Amino acid sequence: MTAPVVSVEQLALRFGDRELWHGLSFDVERGEFLAVLGPNGAGKTSLLRILLGRLEPSEGRVALDRDSIGYVPQQRVFDRDLPLRGRDLVRFGLDGHRWGFGRLAAPDRRRVDEAVAAVGATALADTPLGLLSGGEQQRLRVAQALVSNPSLLLADEPLLSLDLAYQQVIVRLLDERRRSAGTPVVFVTHDVNPILSAVDRVLYLGPGGWAIGPVDEVLTTETLSRLYGAEIDVLRVRGRVVVVGTPDAEHVHHVH
């Protein structure tokens, strides 16, 4: 057996007197697709920041190779006057740690072009970032995360501002990557529907604890009622699962 790509042991996260979670333990294996769900303020983005080494947990430890992570951050709008082009954003995935902006070698230029093409953004490569829509910028961020051939992919709401067609493009790209190269994906989202065909397990961070397991074990009336400490109904109607009763109105999940 090979060692897990990510090992999380007994993590706790507190901000002042407020505890988001404690005792959080899980591994992420090669090729696994883990969805991280939960209401706003549950600490989903904070968990990714801990994995990235940008936030210290209150307790516990994390083991992973932080030198080989592809990261898709939450969407932020670029200034309209920013002189960088689409391809410049993608190349930061290769040399963003270096000072200056030198010329890329031919093999690296090809890698940038291939990553841009993979997310359907070739026509955007030479457009200033500030003139691109939020969805177009987000596609380029995904290309940036993939261009360095990472051993782990962390994605924080990467489908925001994307229409259904491009959501499917991005999910298919990440799914193919983890299947062909064994690169695990930790994917924070509010809506599990676009990624259900790819998900192996769900980590649900709730107000009263956390749960991890297959979708059919975690997204249940019993499990979510326990995590919220209140009656939460999980309804299955015509192939859809709708979670009713959470304080976060965005929690509507669909399954095949």
Side-chain angles (χ1 to χ4, degrees):
M1 294 182 64
T2 59
V5 178
V6 179
S7 182
V8 172
E9 298 181 7
Q10 297 296 315
L11 281 194
L13 183 61
R14 290 182 288 270
F15 294 106
D17 295 334
R18 181 176 178 239
E19 181 178 85
L20 273 67
W21 22 262
H22 68 272
L24 182 61
S25 299
F26 63 90
D27 291 338
V28 180
E29 306 292 343
R30 274 182 52 84
E32 183 175 13
F33 199 119
L34 177 68
V36 182
L37 304 174
N40 292 330
K44 302 186 296 296
T45 295
S46 294
L47 176 60
L48 291 193
R49 292 183 64 206
I50 289 173
L51 296 181
L52 287 164
R54 298 177 181 177
L55 176 66
E56 284 294 318
S58 304
E59 296 175 9
R61 61 181 294 273
V62 172
L64 74 162
D65 179 7
R66 291 195 172 107
D67 293 328
S68 186
I69 295 177
Y71 175 50
V72 185
Q74 283 191 8
Q75 181 179 313
R76 293 176 179 82
V77 177
F78 291 106
D79 188 279
R80 287 187 61 84
D81 297 325
L82 187 69
L84 294 178
R85 303 166 300 166
R87 69 172 67 253
D88 298 329
L89 178 65
V90 176
R91 72 170 283 179
F92 286 156
L94 291 177
D95 65 357
H97 60 288
R98 301 174 191 160
W99 181 258
F101 207 52
R103 183 175 176 82
L104 283 180
D108 285 340
R109 290 200 301 273
R110 284 195 298 272
R111 288 173 67 180
V112 169
D113 289 340
E114 289 167 358
V116 170
V119 298
T122 299
L124 311 175
D126 293 310
T127 303
L129 284 172
L131 301 182
L132 298 177
S133 69
E136 290 169 339
Q137 293 174 8
Q138 197 70 341
R139 282 152 57 194
L140 290 165
R141 288 188 180 93
V142 172
Q144 180 193 65
L146 292 169
V147 72
S148 65
N149 193 31
S151 60
L152 171 66
L153 283 165
L154 304 179
D156 194 356
E157 299 278 9
L159 304 184
L160 289 178
S161 298
L162 297 181
D163 60 26
L164 182 59
Y166 277 114
Q167 286 183 7
Q168 293 173 345
V169 167
I170 298 305
V171 173
R172 184 165 59 249
L173 192 64
L174 298 182
D175 193 29
E176 289 174 354
R177 169 76 193 190
R178 61 99 173 213
R179 292 181 186 277
S180 63
T183 308
V185 179
V186 179
F187 194 107
V188 168
T189 183
H190 275 90
D191 183 3
V192 77
N193 178 46
I195 61 173
L196 264 176
S197 62
V199 169
D200 295 305
R201 289 189 300 164
V202 168
L203 169 61
Y204 201 106
L205 302 176
W210 55 273
I212 189 168
V215 172
D216 289 342
E217 292 181 9
V218 174
L219 294 182
T220 66
T221 294
E222 294 75 19
T223 299
L224 294 193
S225 294
R226 173 176 62 82
L227 295 181
Y228 281 91
E231 288 298 320
I232 304 297
D233 292 319
V234 180
L235 309 177
R236 285 170 169 79
V237 181
R238 296 180 181 177
R240 299 177 59 197
V241 172
V242 181
V243 180
V244 181
T246 71
D248 189 341
E250 293 174 288
H251 274 76
V252 178
H253 308 289
H254 307 271
V255 298
H256 300 303

